[in-house]
Amino acid sequence: MIIVKWSVANDIFTIHTIKKFTMFLHIALSVPTISELDYLPCEGLEPSQLRPGMRFLVPLGSRKIIGLLVETTTTTTCPAEKLKSVIKALDSKPVIDSVLFNLCRKAATYYHRSLGEMLFLALPVLLRKHRVIPVNKQCFWTLNKDISAADIRACTKKQQLTIGILQQHNGKASDSTLKEGGIAQKTLNKMAEKNLIFSTDDVMTYNDFRTVQPVINNKPLTLNKEQSVALEEIKKHLQHFFPILLYGVTGSGKTEVYLQAIEEVLIQKKQVLVLVPEIGLTPQMLSRFQRRFNVPVVTLHSGMDDNERYYNWIKAWQLKAGIIISTRSGIFCRLPEPGLIIIDEEHDLSYKQQDGIRYSARDLALLRGQLSNIPVILGSATPSLESVKKANSGHYLMLNLTHRAGGAKMPQFRLIDIRSQPLHAGLSQQVIKSIKQTIDKKQQVLVFINRRGFAPSLICTHCGYVINCQYCDSCMTLHRTPPHLHCHHCDYQQAVPASCPECHAETLNATGTGTERTEMFLQETFPETDVLRIDRDSTRLKNSFNKILDTINSQKPAILVGTQMIAKGHHFPAVTLVIIINLDAGFFNADFRGEEKTAQLLLQVAGRAGRGEVTGQVLLQTYNPDNPDLIMLIQKEYMAFAMHQLSQRQHLHLPPYSYLALFTVDSLCMKTTQGQLKHIAGQIRQHQHNFGPLLKVIGPMPAPMEKRQGRFREQLLFCAEKRSVLHFFLSWFRQQLNNFSHTKQCRWILDIDPQEMI
Ligand code: ADP
Ligand code: ZN
């Protein structure tokens, strides 16, 4: 009898032979309540071929679902009469390796989810379903190099014939060659399902990246003093887990440091995972990496279809790709030869998943670095307070780039007091004048407004009625292109009414300013100049963002009007003037992270100014020119502001000096939600003494946006100064949640380390 288990220590399977004759397959399911179940092997299942991480089709009630083998055991707590056998193995090789497996196990514990849920989140969508891998784009089929003689013996005649043809063609043949050889599509699909072969698009014609010279296509820049110091430190720690905070002002050449560190890792024939926030960044980053390196670079992001993502995931797994540039979910990509993880703009909120399993890709990256024993670089001009604290306490090494690279100077700030000043589409007279001067000098201007659409609200000037979303506690945003009202919280859209729905007067007035309004105004004011709007609406179509970027890179005079999409990492050398319309509200946000997030946004937007030869200017319109946060930010560096914020957080026992979990219940009826949460809170209060005085339970209270997407939301906030106290409580709470008498209509969400209280 053979038992299969992960051996964490040396990352290989240990196979124990014991003298027993029963074997159970311990299988993780993607079902929140059942997590893991034991099954009996099915007929013909060869124990020696079982590996943790292989997928199985298994019965659950009347359904057939997919599960992942965790391990095989000789004992089970499941009563014999309830034991069922697996239906069949779907893979001949594990789809998840031991590092990913352990990452998922730890993440499941930390986020209080089931192991199966976490494992299935890690898999590409195509592997979560029992479905034939689609073939629409494939030109070639490649033989999996890892298959053994035993694998081939287990094949059908047709499959062996396919393997024969592939071997004649050096392991790879086109679809049509195989069809000419009498191989049916069905056979190919079956074999792909068993990982005997995989379909390859043209990119797959690449070899194993380790056989390619990582040779630089494009000579690296000569690093300045600070960059060299940073690179040398990084190079000292490439062989083990080592977290580094690369704190470098905007334009200080962090990316150049990454590139040269990556070169080192590629020379060692190891892979690099680069996480970036959201899609906007990937095309620019990708081309910068491709110009530098010979090894294949692949991307993974939500703008791709499931096929594309799957192929790229496979390329990383099959060592076809040396560099993987990815948004949040790439933290789960399979890397057989990991060497380095980089998290660019580590402060960015997009690293926290905001639905489903609310994981933080940044935090998991550190965990992954530890499991793989490789360094992790967190880069930012405005690091999160969490990371600053860790750097201060010596948990991360902080490397500092204080100057802009390549001779560019930091931009100069000017506060524009807009109290009792007339504004045109949000812009003061003084700002409009500066825009004109900048265009006259043939330079580019960037206007930042944190609101898309034409106007954030439509108000009746006769009776004061505001048009609200029928599903959310929020007003409808007016859009002009095309004209409609749009709720940015639930996506509900409706036609623009001609008169007030309340008093029927034709006195509806668009109030406030969004990107469309400012764009229109600026286009009217500067008819000769290109005015480009950059927000989610103008970039919705595939490639439209790239077209806008091309215009910007042409360096012709232009005015860019955009939301925070433009704040992230872009390098626009012709932009010399940045206008920030108004960020006052952010500093007075009810959320305790308001100041931190606003400061980061402000400096990131400002950082787009003057990255070329001409020194940049930032004009910041404000109704509060005396705001001490604002003054500290623009007079001193970000770190001074961060230290000040940290001391306030410490004083108030807020994160990162305490740990939070946010529990939200919602339903279609306010009374139901309130009743349910009151019941749960009552149960908690009865047991709270078990968790000591260090655990605080705040609420029940309505969520800051009480009604959202038609559901009424109430919250409890759990807080402790020790992480262990919070998680000890949460483990108990998570179990109780299954027992609490649930009203069917209620849903609940548990958010560990919530980043946004909404
Ligand atoms: P960051 O990632 O910190 O915002 P980048 O890496 O984009 O900064 O660098 C900003 C600009 O400075 C880029 O145009 C880059 O090519 C240039 N640069 C970076 N390092 C150097 C260097 N050592 N010498 C000259 N130019 C550099
Ligand atoms: Zn809505």
Side-chain angles (χ1 to χ4, degrees):
M1 178 66 237
I2 288 168
I3 292 294
V4 184
K5 275 191 195 315
W6 291 115
S7 164
V8 182
N10 49 9
D11 197 29
I12 51 162
F13 305 109
T14 47
I15 298 183
H16 309 277
T17 309
I18 52 166
K19 290 203 173 57
K20 273 230 175 142
F21 294 97
T22 28
M23 174 182 75
F24 305 101
L25 276 64
H26 192 59
I27 288 192
L29 307 171
S30 71
V31 182
T33 44
I34 308 180
S35 186
E36 291 150 59
L37 273 185
D38 289 335
Y39 287 89
L40 290 165
C42 59
E43 197 115 339
L45 198 62
E46 184 58 52
S48 65
Q49 290 185 349
L50 289 178
R51 298 283 181 276
M54 283 168 58
R55 295 174 309 151
F56 283 85
L57 192 64
V58 299
L60 182 73
S62 57
R63 290 188 294 158
K64 290 176 184 172
I65 62 167
I66 295 185
L68 270 171
L69 180 62
V70 178
E71 61 185 19
T72 59
T73 58
T74 50
T75 56
T76 176
T77 50
C78 182
E81 70 280 7
K82 288 211 166 152
L83 270 174
K84 293 183 181 166
S85 38
V86 298
I87 298 165
K88 62 173 175 177
L90 298 175
D91 304 306
S92 56
K93 293 273 182 297
V95 290
I96 283 212
D97 65 12
S98 67
V99 167
L100 269 186
F101 210 103
N102 288 324
L103 182 69
C104 288
R105 193 189 282 286
K106 285 193 186 261
T109 310
Y110 187 78
Y111 293 108
H112 299 272
R113 303 297 286 241
S114 78
L115 173 62
E117 284 180 288
M118 213 61 220
L119 287 167
F120 279 87
L121 175 74
L123 283 180
V125 173
L126 291 190
L127 289 179
R128 290 178 208 169
K129 303 176 191 161
H130 171 225
R131 109 164 210 221
V132 176
I133 288 142
V135 286
N136 45 7
K137 293 206 297 204
Q138 301 147 2
C139 333
F140 290 92
W141 289 95
T142 302
L143 189 60
N144 188 341
K145 281 201 200 100
D146 294 336
I147 60 172
S148 61
D151 289 335
I152 297 177
R153 276 199 301 279
C155 284
T156 62
K157 280 254 156 58
K158 271 282 179 218
Q159 291 174 346
Q160 288 176 355
L161 179 63
T162 313
I163 293 172
I165 299 176
L166 285 168
Q167 280 168 340
Q168 280 168 21
H169 290 82
N170 288 326
K172 181 165 176 190
S174 73
D175 224 2
S176 46
T177 310
L178 289 163
K179 297 265 164 68
E180 277 161 26
I183 309 297
Q185 190 64 50
K186 219 171 56 196
T187 311
L188 296 172
N189 292 347
K190 259 258 140 33
M191 292 176 75
E193 218 177 285
K194 295 209 278 177
N195 276 333
L196 296 168
I197 59 173
F198 48 86
S199 56
T200 51
D201 52 35
D202 288 344
V203 190
M204 290 297 266
T205 53
Y206 285 119
N207 296 322
D208 183 323
F209 86 93
R210 294 169 299 178
T211 63
V212 181
Q213 273 290 325
V215 182
I216 318 307
N217 295 327
N218 190 330
K219 278 260 170 297
L221 298 168
T222 310
L223 297 184
N224 63 32
K225 187 86 202 302
E226 287 178 334
Q227 286 174 313
S228 315
V229 171
L231 182 66
E232 285 315 309
E233 278 300 327
I234 295 169
K235 277 197 202 165
K236 277 189 216 158
H237 301 286
L238 287 181
Q239 306 306 334
H240 54 105
F241 171 63
F242 195 76
I244 294 167
L245 177 61
L246 182 60
Y247 165 52
V249 297
T250 51
S252 59
K254 293 183 288 296
T255 313
E256 187 57 37
V257 175
Y258 302 153
L259 289 168
Q260 300 199 20
I262 290 171
E263 184 187 334
E264 249 356 90
V265 176
L266 292 175
I267 289 171
Q268 296 174 8
K269 305 203 181 300
K270 293 197 181 146
Q271 293 171 297
V272 181
L273 173 63
V274 184
L275 294 185
V276 295
E278 298 177 74
I279 326 171
L281 273 185
T282 32
Q284 271 199 334
M285 268 260 188
L286 182 66
S287 73
R288 203 159 161 191
F289 278 61
Q290 280 170 338
R291 270 181 278 136
R292 183 66 63 92
F293 298 113
N294 241 340
V295 304
V297 181
V298 300
T299 56
L300 291 168
H301 59 75
S302 56
M304 292 174 156
D305 63 27
D306 290 345
N307 274 332
E308 265 181 297
R309 269 163 166 283
Y310 173 72
Y311 289 127
N312 285 349
W313 200 86
I314 298 282
K315 281 177 210 164
W317 171 13
Q318 304 285 347
L319 290 165
K320 303 283 170 183
I323 302 171
I324 296 88
I325 304 181
S326 166
T327 49
R328 178 176 66 226
S329 63
I331 191 56
F332 297 112
C333 91
R334 189 166 166 179
L335 302 173
E337 292 291 343
L340 171 66
I341 303 176
I342 294 171
I343 305 144
D344 193 28
E345 313 285 359
E346 68 86 29
H347 63 278
D348 199 277
L349 277 181
S350 71
Y351 288 123
K352 181 85 197 282
Q353 169 116 332
Q354 288 297 1
D355 52 30
I357 302 181
R358 299 178 175 226
Y359 67 92
S360 155
R362 178 191 63 206
D363 296 349
L364 290 184
L366 286 149
L367 189 55
R368 188 162 185 177
Q370 237 165 344
L371 291 170
S372 296
N373 200 25
I374 56 171
V376 179
I377 304 177
L378 303 145
S380 177
T382 54
S384 64
L385 295 187
E386 277 78 5
S387 298
V388 172
K389 178 173 172 248
K390 287 217 168 106
N392 286 340
S393 62
H395 287 87
Y396 300 167
L397 173 68
M398 177 142 73
L399 299 170
N400 208 340
L401 308 178
T402 57
H403 301 288
R404 279 193 162 173
K409 295 218 172 56
M410 288 303 281
Q412 291 165 346
F413 281 92
R414 253 173 60 208
L415 291 184
I416 311 281
D417 184 351
I418 48 172
R419 286 175 296 187
S420 65
Q421 280 217 34
L423 299 179
H424 307 274
L427 304 167
S428 65
Q429 213 52 53
Q430 196 179 348
V431 158
I432 297 169
K433 211 171 104 194
S434 301
I435 295 178
K436 179 161 187 338
Q437 287 166 351
T438 309
I439 305 169
D440 287 346
K441 283 189 269 180
K442 306 259 172 275
Q443 296 163 356
Q444 294 178 347
V445 180
L446 189 156
V447 180
F448 171 76
I449 309 174
N450 215 2
R451 274 226 159 91
R452 61 198 173 94
F454 184 80
S457 52
L458 198 55
I459 298 176
C460 173
T461 50
H462 182 69
C463 73
Y465 182 82
V466 183
I467 301 191
N468 275 322
C469 173
Q470 36 185 121
Y471 304 104
C472 305
D473 286 334
S474 155
C475 39
M476 299 290 285
T477 301
L478 176 67
H479 285 248
R480 277 280 181 83
T481 44
H484 69 286
L485 293 174
H486 196 150
C487 172
H488 291 176
H489 297 282
C490 71
D491 256 354
Y492 173 68
Q493 303 181 22
Q494 67 183 71
V496 184
S499 57
C500 173
E502 191 72 12
C503 74
H504 308 291
E506 289 183 9
T507 48
L508 286 173
N509 185 37
T511 311
T513 305
T515 44
E516 284 184 11
R517 184 174 231 167
T518 308
E519 177 202 15
M520 279 182 201
F521 170 78
L522 287 169
Q523 194 63 83
E524 280 162 22
T525 316
F526 302 101
E528 308 288 302
T529 311
D530 276 336
V531 179
L532 302 170
R533 176 160 57 89
I534 309 169
D535 56 25
R536 249 203 286 155
D537 303 309
S538 72
T539 55
R540 206 176 295 279
L541 294 174
K542 220 177 178 176
N543 273 331
S544 50
F545 191 48
N546 285 344
K547 283 202 190 122
I548 295 173
L549 288 178
D550 286 345
T551 315
I552 298 173
N553 290 332
S554 76
Q555 311 213 358
K556 284 193 309 200
I559 305 173
L560 326 174
V561 179
T563 56
Q564 52 187 330
M565 267 189 97
I566 49 175
K568 297 183 179 179
H570 297 290
H571 184 64
F572 304 146
V575 171
T576 57
L577 177 66
V578 165
I579 315 284
I580 298 176
I581 286 215
N582 185 356
L583 276 178
D584 290 338
F587 285 106
F588 301 102
N589 200 311
D591 192 328
F592 70 88
R593 283 196 176 84
E595 286 134 308
E596 178 192 353
K597 294 298 155 204
T598 309
Q600 289 165 343
L601 187 57
L602 193 154
L603 291 187
Q604 293 289 344
V605 176
R608 300 315 111 203
R611 292 168 72 100
E613 283 155 24
V614 184
T615 303
Q617 259 219 342
V618 181
L619 302 184
L620 225 160
Q621 298 190 144
T622 174
Y623 289 105
N624 296 287
D626 307 322
N627 175 1
D629 282 331
L630 204 53
I631 293 170
M632 168 134 54
L633 261 183
I634 63 176
Q635 288 183 350
K636 300 199 181 136
E637 51 150 11
Y638 174 79
M639 204 43 80
F641 168 85
M643 298 306 280
H644 179 68
Q645 285 289 318
L646 275 175
S647 70
Q648 286 187 351
R649 298 263 186 100
Q650 183 166 28
H651 185 70
L652 297 170
H653 304 285
L654 287 168
Y657 297 93
S658 65
Y659 302 90
L660 302 181
L662 184 64
F663 180 68
T664 307
V665 170
D666 73 13
S667 79
L668 293 169
C669 158
M670 189 187 290
K671 280 230 167 70
T672 310
T673 305
Q674 285 172 342
Q676 181 71 45
L677 196 60
K678 203 168 151 210
H679 170 69
I680 293 175
Q683 303 267 329
I684 293 174
R685 295 250 143 79
Q686 275 180 27
H687 294 88
Q688 202 179 341
H689 60 272
N690 295 333
F691 306 99
L694 290 178
L695 178 82
K696 297 196 176 62
V697 180
I698 302 159
M701 59 200 166
M705 184 180 284
E706 188 170 9
K707 185 180 167 199
R708 194 167 186 229
Q709 300 183 331
R711 303 183 75 92
F712 291 88
R713 309 155 69 238
E714 295 265 326
Q715 300 180 324
L716 282 174
L717 185 65
F718 309 123
C719 172
E721 278 172 49
K722 277 216 169 94
R723 188 167 255 163
S724 54
V725 172
L726 180 67
H727 284 266
F728 180 52
F729 163 75
L730 289 174
S731 308
W732 169 82
F733 179 59
R734 183 64 190 81
Q735 286 208 324
Q736 299 308 304
L737 268 178
N738 295 336
N739 307 335
F740 285 147
S741 66
H742 258 292
T743 328
K744 267 219 178 94
Q745 303 90 327
C746 280
R747 295 187 310 199
W748 55 261
I749 299 158
L750 185 59
D751 189 353
I752 314 293
D753 305 327
Q755 295 296 306
E756 287 173 295
M757 313 280 186
I758 46 171

PDB file of all heavy atoms in Angstrom, residues 473 590-591 662 701-707 713 715 756-758:
ATOM      1  N   ASP A 473     -27.794  54.067  -1.824  1.00  0.00           N
ATOM      2  CA  ASP A 473     -27.801  55.370  -1.162  1.00  0.00           C
ATOM      3  C   ASP A 473     -26.789  56.263  -1.853  1.00  0.00           C
ATOM      4  O   ASP A 473     -25.751  56.589  -1.296  1.00  0.00           O
ATOM      5  CB  ASP A 473     -27.394  55.219   0.304  1.00  0.00           C
ATOM      6  CG  ASP A 473     -28.497  54.612   1.125  1.00  0.00           C
ATOM      7  OD1 ASP A 473     -29.669  54.750   0.736  1.00  0.00           O
ATOM      8  OD2 ASP A 473     -28.183  53.995   2.155  1.00  0.00           O
ATOM      9  N   ALA A 590     -14.562  59.799   6.414  1.00  0.00           N
ATOM     10  CA  ALA A 590     -14.875  59.106   7.666  1.00  0.00           C
ATOM     11  C   ALA A 590     -13.950  57.903   7.869  1.00  0.00           C
ATOM     12  O   ALA A 590     -13.666  57.506   8.992  1.00  0.00           O
ATOM     13  CB  ALA A 590     -16.332  58.647   7.649  1.00  0.00           C
ATOM     14  N   ASP A 591     -13.469  57.322   6.788  1.00  0.00           N
ATOM     15  CA  ASP A 591     -12.585  56.161   6.853  1.00  0.00           C
ATOM     16  C   ASP A 591     -11.219  56.592   7.407  1.00  0.00           C
ATOM     17  O   ASP A 591     -10.641  57.567   6.937  1.00  0.00           O
ATOM     18  CB  ASP A 591     -12.430  55.595   5.434  1.00  0.00           C
ATOM     19  CG  ASP A 591     -11.785  54.229   5.411  1.00  0.00           C
ATOM     20  OD1 ASP A 591     -10.945  53.950   6.296  1.00  0.00           O
ATOM     21  OD2 ASP A 591     -12.113  53.450   4.516  1.00  0.00           O
ATOM     22  N   LEU A 662     -13.968  42.880   9.284  1.00  0.00           N
ATOM     23  CA  LEU A 662     -15.266  43.527   9.106  1.00  0.00           C
ATOM     24  C   LEU A 662     -16.277  42.486   8.657  1.00  0.00           C
ATOM     25  O   LEU A 662     -16.053  41.783   7.674  1.00  0.00           O
ATOM     26  CB  LEU A 662     -15.135  44.637   8.054  1.00  0.00           C
ATOM     27  CG  LEU A 662     -16.376  45.487   7.791  1.00  0.00           C
ATOM     28  CD1 LEU A 662     -16.772  46.296   9.023  1.00  0.00           C
ATOM     29  CD2 LEU A 662     -16.122  46.433   6.612  1.00  0.00           C
ATOM     30  N   MET A 701     -23.946  48.175  13.344  1.00  0.00           N
ATOM     31  CA  MET A 701     -24.141  49.525  12.829  1.00  0.00           C
ATOM     32  C   MET A 701     -24.402  49.435  11.330  1.00  0.00           C
ATOM     33  O   MET A 701     -23.973  48.482  10.680  1.00  0.00           O
ATOM     34  CB  MET A 701     -22.884  50.356  13.100  1.00  0.00           C
ATOM     35  CG  MET A 701     -21.651  49.760  12.452  1.00  0.00           C
ATOM     36  SD  MET A 701     -20.141  50.356  13.218  1.00  0.00           S
ATOM     37  CE  MET A 701     -18.943  49.192  12.576  1.00  0.00           C
ATOM     38  N   PRO A 702     -25.116  50.420  10.778  1.00  0.00           N
ATOM     39  CA  PRO A 702     -25.329  50.391   9.335  1.00  0.00           C
ATOM     40  C   PRO A 702     -24.004  50.611   8.595  1.00  0.00           C
ATOM     41  O   PRO A 702     -23.137  51.322   9.101  1.00  0.00           O
ATOM     42  CB  PRO A 702     -26.287  51.557   9.074  1.00  0.00           C
ATOM     43  CG  PRO A 702     -26.424  52.297  10.349  1.00  0.00           C
ATOM     44  CD  PRO A 702     -25.761  51.546  11.446  1.00  0.00           C
ATOM     45  N   ALA A 703     -23.824  49.976   7.455  1.00  0.00           N
ATOM     46  CA  ALA A 703     -22.628  50.207   6.642  1.00  0.00           C
ATOM     47  C   ALA A 703     -22.633  51.666   6.198  1.00  0.00           C
ATOM     48  O   ALA A 703     -23.694  52.271   6.086  1.00  0.00           O
ATOM     49  CB  ALA A 703     -22.642  49.295   5.425  1.00  0.00           C
ATOM     50  N   PRO A 704     -21.426  52.238   5.945  1.00  0.00           N
ATOM     51  CA  PRO A 704     -21.380  53.637   5.499  1.00  0.00           C
ATOM     52  C   PRO A 704     -22.316  53.895   4.310  1.00  0.00           C
ATOM     53  O   PRO A 704     -22.969  54.929   4.255  1.00  0.00           O
ATOM     54  CB  PRO A 704     -19.918  53.824   5.108  1.00  0.00           C
ATOM     55  CG  PRO A 704     -19.176  52.866   5.985  1.00  0.00           C
ATOM     56  CD  PRO A 704     -20.087  51.692   6.150  1.00  0.00           C
ATOM     57  N   MET A 705     -22.395  52.978   3.372  1.00  0.00           N
ATOM     58  CA  MET A 705     -23.441  53.079   2.350  1.00  0.00           C
ATOM     59  C   MET A 705     -24.453  51.996   2.673  1.00  0.00           C
ATOM     60  O   MET A 705     -24.278  50.838   2.314  1.00  0.00           O
ATOM     61  CB  MET A 705     -22.859  52.886   0.946  1.00  0.00           C
ATOM     62  CG  MET A 705     -23.902  53.092  -0.143  1.00  0.00           C
ATOM     63  SD  MET A 705     -23.258  52.881  -1.813  1.00  0.00           S
ATOM     64  CE  MET A 705     -22.382  54.413  -1.989  1.00  0.00           C
ATOM     65  N   GLU A 706     -25.494  52.388   3.377  1.00  0.00           N
ATOM     66  CA  GLU A 706     -26.381  51.383   3.964  1.00  0.00           C
ATOM     67  C   GLU A 706     -27.090  50.546   2.899  1.00  0.00           C
ATOM     68  O   GLU A 706     -27.219  49.336   3.015  1.00  0.00           O
ATOM     69  CB  GLU A 706     -27.401  52.054   4.877  1.00  0.00           C
ATOM     70  CG  GLU A 706     -28.216  51.043   5.664  1.00  0.00           C
ATOM     71  CD  GLU A 706     -29.070  51.677   6.744  1.00  0.00           C
ATOM     72  OE1 GLU A 706     -29.154  52.921   6.760  1.00  0.00           O
ATOM     73  OE2 GLU A 706     -29.638  50.933   7.549  1.00  0.00           O
ATOM     74  N   LYS A 707     -27.567  51.230   1.851  1.00  0.00           N
ATOM     75  CA  LYS A 707     -28.246  50.490   0.797  1.00  0.00           C
ATOM     76  C   LYS A 707     -27.358  50.478  -0.434  1.00  0.00           C
ATOM     77  O   LYS A 707     -26.887  51.526  -0.883  1.00  0.00           O
ATOM     78  CB  LYS A 707     -29.575  51.175   0.480  1.00  0.00           C
ATOM     79  CG  LYS A 707     -30.432  50.425  -0.509  1.00  0.00           C
ATOM     80  CD  LYS A 707     -31.718  51.211  -0.744  1.00  0.00           C
ATOM     81  CE  LYS A 707     -32.466  50.674  -1.941  1.00  0.00           C
ATOM     82  NZ  LYS A 707     -33.420  51.670  -2.443  1.00  0.00           N
ATOM     83  N   ARG A 713     -27.438  46.875   4.290  1.00  0.00           N
ATOM     84  CA  ARG A 713     -26.197  46.319   4.826  1.00  0.00           C
ATOM     85  C   ARG A 713     -25.917  46.824   6.238  1.00  0.00           C
ATOM     86  O   ARG A 713     -25.938  48.017   6.504  1.00  0.00           O
ATOM     87  CB  ARG A 713     -25.056  46.670   3.885  1.00  0.00           C
ATOM     88  CG  ARG A 713     -25.376  46.287   2.446  1.00  0.00           C
ATOM     89  CD  ARG A 713     -24.632  47.104   1.433  1.00  0.00           C
ATOM     90  NE  ARG A 713     -23.226  46.810   1.441  1.00  0.00           N
ATOM     91  CZ  ARG A 713     -22.283  47.712   1.650  1.00  0.00           C
ATOM     92  NH1 ARG A 713     -22.611  48.974   1.828  1.00  0.00           N
ATOM     93  NH2 ARG A 713     -21.035  47.357   1.671  1.00  0.00           N
ATOM     94  N   GLN A 715     -23.202  46.133   9.732  1.00  0.00           N
ATOM     95  CA  GLN A 715     -21.861  45.602   9.980  1.00  0.00           C
ATOM     96  C   GLN A 715     -21.519  45.431  11.450  1.00  0.00           C
ATOM     97  O   GLN A 715     -22.068  46.102  12.318  1.00  0.00           O
ATOM     98  CB  GLN A 715     -20.824  46.553   9.366  1.00  0.00           C
ATOM     99  CG  GLN A 715     -21.001  46.723   7.885  1.00  0.00           C
ATOM    100  CD  GLN A 715     -19.983  47.660   7.267  1.00  0.00           C
ATOM    101  OE1 GLN A 715     -19.594  48.644   7.876  1.00  0.00           O
ATOM    102  NE2 GLN A 715     -19.559  47.345   6.057  1.00  0.00           N
ATOM    103  N   GLU A 756     -11.151  49.081   2.771  1.00  0.00           N
ATOM    104  CA  GLU A 756     -12.137  50.134   2.547  1.00  0.00           C
ATOM    105  C   GLU A 756     -13.380  49.769   3.330  1.00  0.00           C
ATOM    106  O   GLU A 756     -13.871  48.651   3.226  1.00  0.00           O
ATOM    107  CB  GLU A 756     -12.497  50.219   1.054  1.00  0.00           C
ATOM    108  CG  GLU A 756     -11.409  50.825   0.216  1.00  0.00           C
ATOM    109  CD  GLU A 756     -11.741  50.735  -1.263  1.00  0.00           C
ATOM    110  OE1 GLU A 756     -11.807  49.614  -1.790  1.00  0.00           O
ATOM    111  OE2 GLU A 756     -11.963  51.788  -1.884  1.00  0.00           O
ATOM    112  N   MET A 757     -13.858  50.701   4.104  1.00  0.00           N
ATOM    113  CA  MET A 757     -15.099  50.469   4.854  1.00  0.00           C
ATOM    114  C   MET A 757     -16.225  51.022   4.002  1.00  0.00           C
ATOM    115  O   MET A 757     -16.468  52.229   4.007  1.00  0.00           O
ATOM    116  CB  MET A 757     -15.064  51.208   6.190  1.00  0.00           C
ATOM    117  CG  MET A 757     -13.781  51.022   6.960  1.00  0.00           C
ATOM    118  SD  MET A 757     -13.806  49.451   7.825  1.00  0.00           S
ATOM    119  CE  MET A 757     -12.320  49.552   8.773  1.00  0.00           C
ATOM    120  N   ILE A 758     -16.882  50.176   3.238  1.00  0.00           N
ATOM    121  CA  ILE A 758     -17.959  50.718   2.402  1.00  0.00           C
ATOM    122  C   ILE A 758     -19.261  49.968   2.643  1.00  0.00           C
ATOM    123  O   ILE A 758     -19.253  48.875   3.151  1.00  0.00           O
ATOM    124  CB  ILE A 758     -17.633  50.679   0.897  1.00  0.00           C
ATOM    125  CG1 ILE A 758     -17.048  49.334   0.496  1.00  0.00           C
ATOM    126  CG2 ILE A 758     -16.703  51.816   0.525  1.00  0.00           C
ATOM    127  CD1 ILE A 758     -16.904  49.133  -0.981  1.00  0.00           C
TER     128      ILE A 758
END
